[in-house]
Amino acid sequence: MYSNEEFLIELLTEAGYVTAQDLQQAKNNKKGQETPLETLIKTGIVTDEQVAQLIASNSGMEYVDLHGFQANPALKGLVTLEQAKKYKVVPIGMNGTALQVAVSDPYDFETLDALPHVLQPELEFFCSTPNLIQEVMVTIYGNEAMTGGHKDDASGAGDGDAPIIKLVTNMLMDAFRNRASDIHIEPLEKDIRVRFRMDGVMVDIEHHPKRLLSSIIARVKIMTGTMSIDEKRVPQDGRIQMKFGDKELDLRVSIIPTQNGESVVMRVLDKSSLRLGLSDLGFFSDDQDCFEKLVTLPDGIVLVTGPTGSGKTTTLYACLNFINRPDRKIITVEDPVEYELPGINQVMVKEDVGMTFAAALRAMLRQAPNIIMLGEIRDAETAGIAIQASLTGHLVFSTLHTNDAPSAVARLADIGIKPFLIASAVRGILAQRLVRKLCGECKQPSGLSDKELRHLGLEASQLFNASIMGPKGCNKCRNSGYRGRMVIAEIFKVDDEVRNMINQNLTTPQLRKRARELGMRTLREDGVRKVLAGVTTADEVIEATMSDAD
């Protein structure tokens, strides 16, 4: 009946329409090929209308009540009976030049993708129940609509693709429900392995027969709309845009040929992360206050450092959200532009046509921005322009790949920036890592071993008022004991004394030592605070801060 009943049952349960007892009873009482959702509807636990209204609400479509629908004869010529049967769609009106159609399953992405090509480009979708859509079909087309589907539905050439379409769609929905950041489809010697990266950890999800590889890859390529199905010798990149519930998702797709066949990685770009504020990243209040003061300065450079995958870009977006106001002009240069930020001018690097970071930065300065965000400082040219911009009244945000905050000074010097320019321009440096948060539903009291105490630099006496917690595992966290991630950070403020030290070309250990004396908390020390507060574990902090010498 619907493309993903498991997801719909979850929605019905969360909305209070269905209890666990109802669902178990439906599973026990189902007849023949009847699904649990069909049983729930037939037994009156939920109605068709409740299901359709809930689907509409969560898909962003408007629900339309088609009881007593009066068909406009002109609509019959816009959608043929064969099309109506095949795609389970009925025309219900016109809005200017847009054809309004009703569907029963907004999660049937194959149908929604195909209809603008089959009918007309301008469509407005509405959601209704399968029974009401069938009634309207009879009203429009007569009793012939009561017969079976079009012959192509049963024997058409594309029929064999339907299980693959469902497999890929379910895979994407499963990744969305589990808040995965990456989907990996990997061809092995004898089968296909599907893994999700969840909270930074790769998890084995399912395996499929090797014979399905070409069909799965072809389906993914079709969904991007830009990749060549026939080309299997070179890497390809693309993007899939889709909607799950009220969330708009982008998937950045990379396909490369390997010894065992083409391998796919889809990075899930969840647009809800655009709404993250600094308080959502996991800062404790004192660090948040300190960092907020840095990002609201009128000029200078603020750097975020850390290895790949440490959340630097998300932190920069949170900074821009925090300071974005109508009286400020903000421009970003990114490679690529992963998220579209409302109210902000974004420029994508295109090196093949000469639009490098440096070229884009030069051009954007002629646009008179107040605030500039560079995705990354990669070379002396880009760094030099960013420094000059900061010294002429602009606030500049960017990232560097360094292990800790003080090391960013040496990194800028290594790429050719004079110490006096670094000292004059840089206002502060945030180094960060991501650690998994304990699941709030199932975390339980725990303790620390002698080895963990030693690694964290703690004495047993310091645990007296602590709230040490450990993972347990429940349905909410896929029995991992963790749900979501948070930042651990060290903030290196460049004050007058530090400027003098940079001007004197002191070494990174000397800068770090003085910063510690002035109150800078290291990554590991911030992690320890969060272990003692019961929001993460010693294992997470120790693993994330292995390079923290202190």
Side-chain angles (χ1 to χ4, degrees), residues 108-118 125 219 223 241:
D108 181 359
F109 301 111
E110 176 69 11
T111 292
L112 299 189
D113 290 345
L115 285 176
H117 304 286
V118 173
F125 289 102
R219 174 58 187 158
M223 293 178 76
Q241 294 183 316

Side-chain angles (χ1 to χ4, degrees), residues 291-316:
F291 194 55
E292 285 178 359
K293 289 175 182 176
L294 287 176
V295 304
T296 52
L297 291 171
D299 56 26
I301 293 182
V302 176
L303 295 172
V304 179
T305 76
T308 300
S310 59
K312 299 187 296 295
T313 300
T314 299
T315 296
L316 288 182

Side-chain angles (χ1 to χ4, degrees), residues 324-338:
N324 187 16
R325 297 200 314 250
D327 62 340
R328 291 172 172 170
K329 184 176 180 70
I330 303 176
I331 305 182
T332 74
V333 184
E334 304 171 65
D335 182 20
V337 173
E338 293 187 350

Side-chain angles (χ1 to χ4, degrees), residues 283-294:
F283 291 116
F284 278 173
S285 58
D286 53 350
D287 280 345
Q288 183 175 330
D289 289 343
C290 178
F291 194 55
E292 285 178 359
K293 289 175 182 176
L294 287 176

Side-chain angles (χ1 to χ4, degrees), residues 173-397:
M173 295 189 76
D174 193 28
F176 162 69
R177 285 198 303 271
N178 287 289
R179 301 175 302 108
S181 60
D182 301 282
I183 304 165
H184 296 250
I185 304 173
E186 302 165 316
L188 305 179
E189 184 178 355
K190 296 182 179 179
D191 63 359
I192 307 165
R193 178 174 65 183
V194 177
R195 294 192 291 173
F196 295 166
R197 190 184 301 277
M198 295 187 289
D199 296 331
V201 177
M202 293 289 283
V203 178
D204 204 327
I205 299 298
E206 57 191 1
H207 288 247
H208 299 293
K210 188 69 174 287
R211 59 184 169 78
L212 299 182
L213 180 64
S214 60
S215 298
I216 292 173
I217 301 296
R219 174 58 187 158
V220 172
K221 289 180 177 179
I222 289 170
M223 293 178 76
T224 69
T226 59
M227 291 184 175
S228 169
I229 299 176
D230 297 327
E231 182 56 76
K232 300 179 180 181
R233 300 165 299 172
V234 298
Q236 296 190 64
D237 296 304
R239 201 159 192 157
I240 297 171
Q241 294 183 316
M242 57 201 322
K243 197 166 186 176
F244 286 143
D246 60 350
K247 290 196 174 188
E248 294 181 5
L249 294 181
D250 281 351
L251 295 106
R252 202 170 74 200
V253 183
S254 171
I255 298 181
I256 63 170
T258 71
Q259 182 178 358
N260 294 314
E262 290 181 287
S263 175
V264 180
V265 175
M266 291 181 275
R267 183 176 182 191
V268 183
L269 306 175
D270 183 352
K271 292 188 176 181
S272 66
S273 64
L274 296 183
R275 298 188 290 271
L276 290 178
L278 294 175
S279 60
D280 299 313
L281 300 180
F283 291 116
F284 278 173
S285 58
D286 53 350
D287 280 345
Q288 183 175 330
D289 289 343
C290 178
F291 194 55
E292 285 178 359
K293 289 175 182 176
L294 287 176
V295 304
T296 52
L297 291 171
D299 56 26
I301 293 182
V302 176
L303 295 172
V304 179
T305 76
T308 300
S310 59
K312 299 187 296 295
T313 300
T314 299
T315 296
L316 288 182
Y317 282 159
C319 291
L320 297 184
N321 281 335
F322 182 71
I323 60 179
N324 187 16
R325 297 200 314 250
D327 62 340
R328 291 172 172 170
K329 184 176 180 70
I330 303 176
I331 305 182
T332 74
V333 184
E334 304 171 65
D335 182 20
V337 173
E338 293 187 350
Y339 301 97
E340 294 182 8
L341 299 166
I344 292 175
N345 302 276
Q346 295 173 267
V347 178
M348 184 164 71
V349 169
K350 296 180 180 178
E351 295 192 356
D352 56 335
V353 296
M355 181 65 85
T356 62
F357 270 107
L361 184 51
R362 281 197 196 92
M364 69 165 38
L365 289 173
R366 295 193 287 272
Q367 298 277 313
N370 303 104
I371 298 160
I372 295 168
M373 190 269 270
L374 290 173
E376 183 182 352
I377 291 178
R378 297 180 176 179
D379 52 46
E381 185 180 17
T382 305
I385 301 169
I387 292 282
Q388 292 302 320
S390 70
L391 295 175
T392 54
H394 302 85
L395 180 61
V396 180
F397 295 96

